[in-house]
Amino acid sequence: MTNFFLRTLREDPADAEVASHKLLVRAGYIRRQAPGVFAWLPLGLRVKAKIEQIVREEMAAAGAHEVHFPALLPREPYEVTGRWTEYGDALFRLQDRKGADYLLAPTHEEAFTLLVKDLYSSYKDLPLTIFQIQDKYRDEARPRAGLLRGREFTMKDAYSFDASDAGLDASYQAQRDAYERIFARLGMEYVIVKADAGAMGGSKSEEFLHPTPVGEDTFVRSAGGYAANVEAFTTVVPEAVPFDGLPEPRILPSPNTRTIATLVDLANAEYPRPDRPWTAADTLKNVVLALTHLDGTRELVVVGIPGDREIDDKRVEVAFPGTEIEPATEADFAANPGLVKGYIGPWSPAGAVLGEESTTGIRYLLDPRVVDGTEWITGANVDEQHVFGLVAGRDFTADGTAEAANVVPGDPAPDGSGPVELARGMEIGHVFQLGRKYADALGLKVLDENGKLVTVTMGSYGIGVTRILAAIAEDHHDDKGLVWPEAVAPFDVHVLATGKDQAAFDAAETIVAALEDARYDVLFDDRPKLSPGVKFADAELLGVPKIVIAGRGVADGVVEVWDRASGERTQVPIDGVVSALAG
Amino acid sequence: MTNFFLRTLREDPADAEVASHKLLVRAGYIRRQAPGVFAWLPLGLRVKAKIEQIVREEMAAAGAHEVHFPALLPREPYEVTGRWTEYGDALFRLQDRKGADYLLAPTHEEAFTLLVKDLYSSYKDLPLTIFQIQDKYRDEARPRAGLLRGREFTMKDAYSFDASDAGLDASYQAQRDAYERIFARLGMEYVIVKADAGAMGGSKSEEFLHPTPVGEDTFVRSAGGYAANVEAFTTVVPEAVPFDGLPEPRILPSPNTRTIATLVDLANAEYPRPDRPWTAADTLKNVVLALTHLDGTRELVVVGIPGDREIDDKRVEVAFPGTEIEPATEADFAANPGLVKGYIGPWSPAGAVLGEESTTGIRYLLDPRVVDGTEWITGANVDEQHVFGLVAGRDFTADGTAEAANVVPGDPAPDGSGPVELARGMEIGHVFQLGRKYADALGLKVLDENGKLVTVTMGSYGIGVTRILAAIAEDHHDDKGLVWPEAVAPFDVHVLATGKDQAAFDAAETIVAALEDARYDVLFDDRPKLSPGVKFADAELLGVPKIVIAGRGVADGVVEVWDRASGERTQVPIDGVVSALAG
């Protein structure tokens, strides 16, 4: 450490919110260069290399071949697939000296597709899975949490190419299995959740989420083993209820009840029902959304959801793929006087306002729970009036259903495995059946057994190397510093020579040599004139799993072996360190 | 090879000029993505990784620590050092979503300087040398020759930090020694040439040039061991000649002699001298250059060189650092009627035109060979008149000297080691004493032994990894394909199973297993239904150093071991392949 390039810091960086960010900077693993852009210092680079090596080995075991693409790619292929524009501000774009457009690739579907098109032409060449470990770029609006959401980051991205759907299934499974092995070797807890595949044009998609409080994703899981992204959760549809004997709807005055809470209060005060109080779940909330389609046209839709739920931003994006969604504006309401703000409902005393028989021309989509025969309190489309006992399927209809409402703990899992809970997770891997979207767009076809040209079907598979590193740091730390698991630790052993006695330094040097002979990676704190306290504090901050302290005990022929995770310290003879660590 | 991602091509790529480019593409090592931008296929990636590993090991042996910087860096530090503008069109510039300026780094002096400033503060922290192996970007005007001059390329760049000049000398020497070891391990011929350091603000600079006909650099070397870049070559100045007895100059008519050739012809025809004919070396050519300085001002200078030499573009750039240089235009001549185009000289019948006593205000710089007492034929600054026997120092003077003339084979080496020759070379490494330029600009200071702040002195050291790969391919090929040296070959052994006999395939598989057990990297051509000829051709194209052929001989228990470089084929028993290769 006298020569090693390292400086530990006593203060947390000012911009750091999460432990991994604070500690990786303080312990000298990374250093900020720009928002969301970091330099890797020697310790950080060693941990990163270990993760990459594990990924590489498991990719090889899965039969994937390593290639390496440039980060700088020409615009044209991304134009063909539409991603040049779809990526919006998140894409770093630039021009060369001749004015030709380039981008810094956020992922490489286009480039891999073109490479295979360039070189392969027959079903006999397939299946093929190729991967790279590469620095990627995304101009995040709000880079945050250090490496957890950066603008430059390292990913392993793999792409599979098959002539048949069955082939894609097998390639997908091979990558999925490799991911399970990778996370097992990294000692990382993970949940495989169904992810929405629709917007990307693919057919099947799963995310590997690492449960952690600092995760940006919310996911849904049941004790019975169901797991899904909130976007991919599908509502269990209750059975329809017969209409027989249901009373007719009643229009009732309801001043100042533009919110569900005020409506429920009024209902219980003015129109109580005998058996139990009204709740928000008895109301039908009709939310007006303005969709901007890819072609620029603007469309209003009304989504009806039970009043005890909210529109979920991510689920509503999936419900209306390829559109930008915002709440309807005052101008929208002004242009549609048929919708009475705060009192919107599918039906009014004058007849149908929304649904199949509507004359407004506005699409009306209902939460799947609003099945035929269910009764609702909802707006009467007349100012300060609601209708009570409006029956779905009898008094109003819709143009379809939409999975736009949030998922609530206790909702039944769609696979019947019981009620779900919500948890925070971080996406650490993603496996994705792209299908033929990219091959179609870029013309990747091969000859099949019968000499007929068929479009290749593809998968894409990503693992965030730098994000995984941060997640491990996040999971493995205490108030003193990092506590690396062995598989990814920058060094196996950290040897400290302490005190002023040259014998301790000599003993430490002997131990370092013996450990290196035994193929351990050793960090040797040989810095003179530093107090043991400073060296201990640095060792705890750096987080190497095993620490050997050569100090006063050397006079008696012993050193201490200190386990960073458990804190346990054991006295060991100087010549017994290697066997003590092996044991 | 049934599963390996590889496609060899029969045709040379249309845009390839040099053998390395053609063969690396045809043999499936690299694939073009954009002008000067390539993807690395599995074979290429393996060779690249081997070169990187050798570099990494020798950097570690030299005490350098590995870090890794982003390619995407903010503008500010490059603005401070001036490189944001100085790099001109060669710099890839871009903006993020907030309009902040970024660049793709061509080299990382600024970032490394700031990192050390950020973390270190005392002379005790030094010396320090840190390096990275990283993908760099330069928007070359004419990317060419495949990897030899690309717009994205991989470099090892190291930077040293010292508190004293002696420290810098030692750090510089350590890197220089490491480079010698690296090139020795790679089996690459190299010449260490003095390079010009002036323009970059440094004090000492040497290039490692690899002699090759496809090199872009011309360098100068003597049999006695002198070597320099043409820019860095310094002219041996002849001794001055006494004026005594030299005749007075004569003004003579010389119509239609605007070129040196016509002037010499006329001189020999009209004004012959008795002992020997006039040659171009007897004439003094005065070239008018227009310099545009960094502040935008334009200045004319006249450079006088012997008529048998030309202005050398690279040497003249070094002679006038920090300026853009072009020949004077008609407008320049029109604005300076004192200079008579085609007949320019430092002296005219009316008196001094250029030099110390000139009234034109135009700087006049002479080639160092134009010493006092030398006699010249030169323009008389009168249309169609030259002056013969004009004596330097007696009849005219200059404002200084300029090393602007080209170097010619036979010129004496400045170190007295004999006449030089000119050779073509490719820059494969560069070691450079930057001195305090970057530390000054960015404020990198440390406390010295006396507690005084001193500015750190730096070195920068680059090796072009991808260029080295191409240079090795260029040197090691024949008309059949690549012929890799062992140190960087993508595989150690290429095993071919040929024919239709299953026994050959089984024997090949046994050999592959035995070789892998003996820790050889093996490529196994197990492709069925291909003729031996196709497999042989592919093996020759790929260029793995040792090829083992399991074919008809397997029935007799033998296979052939084929040395790719020598072409020698030896029969070896199936179970004797490992020992035959080891021997």
Side-chain angles (χ1 to χ4, degrees), chain A residues 3 6-7 31 37-38 40 42 45 65-68 70-71 96-97 102 118-119 125 139 151-152, chain B residues 3 5 7 31 37-38 40 42 45 65-68 70 96-97 102 118-120 125 137 139 151-152:
Chain A
N3 301 313
L6 172 67
R7 176 64 19 100
R31 197 82 193 148
V37 180
F38 292 86
W40 291 85
L45 202 55
H65 302 285
E66 187 169 0
V67 300
H68 192 84
D96 72 2
R97 61 161 73 211
Y102 284 81
D118 208 12
L119 296 178
D125 299 326
D139 196 357
R151 298 201 294 171
E152 181 177 66
Chain B
N3 301 313
F5 182 48
R7 177 62 22 98
R31 196 82 194 150
V37 181
F38 292 87
W40 291 85
L45 202 56
H65 301 285
E66 187 168 0
V67 299
H68 192 84
D96 72 3
R97 60 162 73 212
Y102 285 80
D118 209 11
L119 296 178
Y120 277 7
D125 299 326
Y137 298 84
D139 196 357
R151 299 200 294 170
E152 181 177 65

Side-chain angles (χ1 to χ4, degrees), chain A residues 36 65 117 146 181 190 223 239 305 349 378-379 389 392 535:
Chain A
H65 302 285
K117 178 184 177 183
R181 292 194 303 270
Y190 63 90
E239 282 202 26
I305 62 174
T378 192
K535 294 192 169 190

